Structure formats: C-alpha cells, structure tokens
Amino acid sequence: MNSLRNKLRSFLWGRYGIDQLYYGLLGLYVVLLLLKMLLDLQVFSVLGSVVLLLALLRALSKNHAARRKENEVFLKLWAPIKTEMILIRDRFRDRKDARYRHCRHCRAILRLPVKKGSHTVVCPKCHKRFSVHIVI
Ligand SMILES: [Zn+2]
C-alpha cells in the first residue's frame, strides 16, 4: 500500500495541479452533460469528454508557466461574467429592501433603499448628483 502511495506521490510531484480554470472546465463539463441529457445529442457527450480530458491534462502538466498564463486569460474573461452573476444574486437577495442603479457618470453600481418616487442621489465613487426613479 505504501509502495502504491509512493508511486502516486512521485507521479504527482511537480505537476501543476488545480486552479480556477480547472473548476471552470469542470463547470463547462457539467453544462455539456446537462445539454446532452436534455437534447439527447451525442456531440455534447464528445465535447464534454474533450473538456474533461483537457482539465485533467492541464492539472497533470509540468509546464507551470503556460498553465498559469492560460489561467490568467481565463480569469480576465470570467471576471465580468462573475460580477454580473453576483449582481443578479444580490438583486434577488435584496429585492424587498433595495434597488440597484448604475451611476450615469461613472457606471458604478449603487444600492439604494426602497423609497417610492424620484430622488436625487450622490454617487459615492465620483461624487456627482443624479436623479433616480424607484417603483415598488
Ligand atoms: Zn459615479
């Protein structure tokens, strides 16, 4: 048992491992599996297998610089999507207490208390005033 453990340890030594892109690829794999189940198209199964294989090959790679670069590109592409998903979650969570509006000058997102009617607000980021209309 110790011999097998040592062999596995020596095989994994120096490998890149798991990063955010790995989890992103696993998420894509799950989405592709769900599409395969819903639409019953074999192409999603093949794509899912390719994505899973790519994730495993990345994790077992010894070229750390290349994998790190791929992960940085992924994080740049993923950041706006993640921000939008968090905003959707927060809007749903705070739907009774707050409304979210963009500043007209700097596009900052403001969380405003629910007060029916038109109001003048000051953006905490750019300090400019603008009016908002809140409907309950
Ligand atoms: Zn602003």
Side-chain angles (χ1 to χ4, degrees):
M1 191 66 187
N2 268 347
S3 167
L4 183 63
R5 184 178 292 168
N6 287 338
K7 283 181 182 176
L8 183 64
R9 185 176 291 156
S10 67
F11 175 72
L12 293 175
W13 184 259
R15 306 289 175 168
Y16 180 67
I18 293 172
D19 59 3
Q20 292 89 350
L21 179 53
Y22 177 84
Y23 289 115
L25 288 171
L26 286 186
L28 179 61
Y29 172 70
V30 170
V31 168
L32 289 170
L33 278 187
L34 290 174
L35 284 173
K36 198 264 181 217
M37 286 170 34
L38 289 173
L39 304 174
D40 199 27
L41 290 173
Q42 197 62 32
V43 69
F44 291 116
S45 179
V46 173
L47 283 174
S49 299
V50 170
V51 166
L52 193 60
L53 183 67
L54 182 66
L56 288 173
L57 289 176
R58 285 190 76 257
L60 295 175
S61 170
K62 289 187 174 182
N63 189 350
H64 291 220
R67 301 297 83 83
R68 207 171 293 127
K69 208 172 197 175
E70 291 167 358
N71 193 47
E72 286 174 14
V73 170
F74 168 73
L75 289 176
K76 277 185 188 168
L77 294 172
W78 179 247
I81 297 168
K82 183 179 177 185
T83 302
E84 195 61 37
M85 289 170 67
I86 289 172
L87 185 60
I88 289 169
R89 181 201 66 197
D90 290 351
R91 279 186 174 170
F92 182 75
R93 183 191 61 205
D94 302 338
R95 65 189 180 280
K96 291 180 183 172
D97 306 328
R99 296 293 182 265
Y100 288 82
R101 299 287 189 267
H102 284 279
C103 171
R104 293 182 186 144
H105 306 286
C106 70
R107 301 296 299 158
I109 300 169
L110 283 75
R111 183 183 184 275
L112 305 169
V114 174
K115 289 182 183 172
K116 188 177 178 181
S118 294
H119 308 281
T120 301
V121 296
V122 179
C123 174
K125 189 175 178 186
C126 67
H127 305 290
K128 292 185 178 173
R129 291 177 181 272
F130 62 97
S131 65
V132 292
H133 185 76
I134 295 178
V135 179
I136 297 177

